[in-house]
Amino acid sequence: MITEELYNEEREIIKFIMLFCSNNISGVLRDRDTKFNVKFKEYKNGIITFSSVECNKNGVSLDDYKMRPLDGEVVFGANVFLFTAIPMGDNSISLPDAIKSHPKRKTIRIKVAGNPFIQKLDAYLSLKVVDPSIQDEELAKKIHLIISTIESTLMRSENYDIAKITLFDGTEKNPILQLIKKYQNPFVVFDTTNFSLKDESVLTYQDYIKFMNEAGLDSKAILAQLDKMKDFYKNHKIRSEATVPLIFEDEVIGIIKVISLKEVMNKTNVIRLKQLSLKAVDDLFTKCAFEIVSKEPQTIVDLGVNGAKFIINQPDFYKYLRLMKRLYVQLVFKDETTIKTMATIVNIYDPTLEGYRVIGVKFSLNMDWKDKNKLEEFIQSVVRLQDKGDVIA
């Protein structure tokens, strides 16, 4: 997963610049079809000096862009660093106000928005969702009926004392729900008087403890949480509990939670609950799902064979954008040929100044091989044109 970091404190920025200079690192400064290859030499009094500057266009120097912003990029170690460069002369720039970084990708990414080497490349996105809060009375009734029927079946036919289905809206903060979303397995307390009971097929409190440790919670705080849970089970006379994920297209969209006040659950109960969760998902998405489709092309910030970064300008999408959410992507090229693939949201960035949402997606590994070849050939052709510096007619 690509994760972007933003550094905007001067001391942090200077630390990276000094690192580039001490290692004589190479970088690139760009303005549309103009590219400068530079080597960092020295930083002093707010000015970064380069030991060499080479432009892909004859007769063009960095001084020609004095006080005009350029897009700066440095690859160092396992990371890519991005910043806005303001030239101060033929071999220097001012200290940038901020630096962004992300892990270096294994495949080439090209800039799409504003790229003069790309005449046309449109992206249309769509999401398939089930939303019980939607202002549609008929749809709300269908969702309520399906959920009520399954809850009733769990209590009357499966003999659970309490059964509840909850659909996620992306605001879930409970660590156990986060654990389930991450590993997509049921969380089960087989016996509330013995937290040490475990099974390889489910998540237990041992997984919870590990998860909280990785989140930075100290052992004392974790033990205090466990004591609270034990007291809750005891005060409410709960003997056994299971929380099973509802999974659609590799995304956990909700849970089935059941509680037994007298009987201890076993593997057979969990298998049956998994079967009922599959039926619940099938019923919800067969009878109650609706699709949101972008009415106009969405902005492609950058693009690679394995993924892309989009600016979403359609408010209908906003409430459904969350990490690991699946969506459909259709790319339309200049010759009207298309590539269609599923994708997963792996990054959600800060909104633009206009309030638009920005997401990073990873394309499905099952993308058709012909589509993948077409995409790779397109990207390589843009890279070749950029290196030559010839603008497409």
Side-chain angles (χ1 to χ4, degrees):
M1 182 184 296
I2 302 296
T3 303
E4 190 174 79
E5 296 283 352
L6 174 64
Y7 304 96
N8 50 24
E9 291 187 11
E10 187 176 282
R11 61 181 180 81
E12 292 180 319
I13 297 168
I14 291 175
K15 181 182 72 173
F16 285 116
I17 297 301
M18 294 294 287
L19 194 62
F20 300 158
C21 292
S22 62
N23 288 277
N24 199 26
I25 294 299
S26 297
V28 177
L29 309 180
R30 291 189 180 90
D31 176 47
R32 296 174 66 84
D33 57 332
T34 303
K35 181 173 73 171
F36 296 93
N37 292 313
V38 301
K39 278 196 174 183
F40 285 75
K41 178 184 178 183
E42 183 182 28
Y43 170 74
K44 189 176 182 180
N45 298 328
I47 300 296
I48 302 165
T49 305
F50 304 121
S51 59
S52 67
V53 179
E54 296 178 357
C55 185
N56 65 332
K57 290 184 176 180
N58 292 329
V60 177
S61 73
L62 201 57
D63 195 47
D64 295 328
Y65 283 82
K66 194 171 183 178
M67 302 305 293
R68 290 166 57 187
L70 300 171
D71 293 326
E73 178 180 314
V74 172
V75 178
F76 183 64
N79 292 295
V80 177
F81 297 87
L82 307 172
F83 55 91
T84 299
I86 308 295
M88 304 301 290
D90 60 1
N91 70 339
S92 63
I93 62 173
S94 63
L95 185 73
D97 293 330
I99 292 180
K100 292 181 180 180
S101 78
H102 61 70
K104 186 165 55 180
R105 297 181 175 95
K106 295 180 180 179
T107 56
I108 296 172
R109 281 269 177 140
I110 58 170
K111 183 179 178 181
V112 177
N115 191 329
F117 300 99
I118 301 175
Q119 279 191 309
K120 179 185 177 184
L121 179 62
D122 293 332
Y124 294 89
L125 310 180
S126 63
L127 293 168
K128 195 173 184 182
V129 299
V130 172
D131 186 355
S133 69
I134 199 75
Q135 298 301 310
D136 185 308
E137 186 176 348
E138 194 63 32
L139 181 61
K141 284 181 180 179
K142 287 182 181 179
I143 294 173
H144 178 72
L145 179 60
I146 290 170
I147 289 176
S148 298
T149 300
I150 295 173
E151 289 174 346
S152 177
T153 298
L154 287 165
M155 287 189 287
R156 294 182 181 180
S157 303
E158 306 294 326
N159 297 319
Y160 292 108
D161 297 288
I162 299 173
K164 179 70 175 175
I165 292 179
T166 303
L167 297 180
F168 290 167
D169 61 8
T171 62
E172 296 73 35
K173 303 296 183 185
N174 185 300
I176 290 176
L177 296 185
Q178 293 176 358
L179 183 66
I180 291 171
K181 288 172 77 171
K182 180 177 181 179
Y183 293 103
Q184 301 192 355
N185 276 328
F187 181 87
V188 182
V189 186
F190 289 104
D191 188 342
T192 57
T193 64
N194 184 3
F195 277 16
S196 63
L197 289 177
K198 63 179 183 177
D199 187 276
E200 296 301 323
S201 64
V202 301
L203 299 166
T204 65
Y205 272 112
Q206 292 182 335
D207 299 289
Y208 170 84
I209 292 169
K210 182 180 178 183
F211 182 74
M212 296 304 288
N213 265 323
E214 291 173 349
L217 206 65
D218 61 49
S219 299
K220 187 176 180 180
I222 294 173
L223 290 174
Q225 289 283 1
L226 293 178
D227 287 339
K228 283 184 180 179
M229 291 170 183
K230 288 177 181 178
D231 289 341
F232 178 84
Y233 289 140
K234 184 178 179 180
N235 293 337
H236 291 82
K237 298 179 181 179
I238 296 172
R239 188 65 193 278
S240 198
E241 177 185 70
T243 306
V244 180
L246 300 172
I247 302 172
F248 177 74
E249 293 182 343
D250 294 329
E251 179 198 4
V252 178
I253 63 165
I255 55 164
I256 295 176
K257 185 170 185 175
V258 295
I259 289 174
S260 175
L261 301 179
K262 298 176 183 178
E263 303 295 329
V264 173
M265 294 185 201
N266 53 40
K267 279 187 178 181
T268 303
N269 297 120
V270 176
I271 291 171
R272 176 61 179 158
L273 286 169
K274 284 183 176 180
Q275 292 171 342
L276 288 170
S277 74
L278 292 174
K279 175 174 171 47
V281 170
D282 185 61
D283 285 348
L284 285 168
F285 276 89
T286 299
K287 301 173 184 177
C288 307
F290 59 95
E291 192 171 33
I292 304 173
V293 181
S294 60
K295 303 178 181 68
E296 57 187 37
Q298 304 299 292
T299 301
I300 310 171
V301 178
D302 57 40
L303 176 70
V305 176
N306 295 328
K309 186 175 183 179
F310 298 110
I311 296 176
I312 310 297
N313 62 20
Q314 188 165 328
D316 289 355
F317 276 69
Y318 295 168
K319 67 182 291 188
Y320 304 110
L321 297 177
R322 48 183 177 267
L323 291 177
M324 305 314 294
K325 176 72 180 176
R326 300 271 277 180
L327 48 76
Y328 299 88
V329 176
Q330 178 173 303
L331 301 176
V332 182
F333 295 85
K334 177 188 173 185
D335 61 1
E336 299 302 322
T337 59
T338 63
I339 288 177
K340 297 180 182 179
T341 184
M342 290 198 68
T344 303
I345 299 175
V346 294
N347 257 321
I348 299 178
Y349 303 95
D350 293 335
T352 66
L353 293 175
E354 300 85 357
Y356 300 151
R357 303 299 192 265
V358 185
I359 61 171
V361 307
K362 181 180 180 181
F363 295 145
S364 170
L365 294 176
N366 294 325
M367 182 192 295
D368 185 272
W369 68 270
K370 291 181 181 178
D371 287 342
K372 193 164 188 176
N373 284 345
K374 178 179 176 62
L375 186 56
E376 189 161 14
E377 288 173 6
F378 172 79
I379 291 169
Q380 291 297 336
S381 69
V382 174
V383 171
R384 287 193 294 271
L385 288 169
Q386 290 177 161
D387 290 341
K388 287 173 62 179
D390 296 331
V391 180
I392 298 175

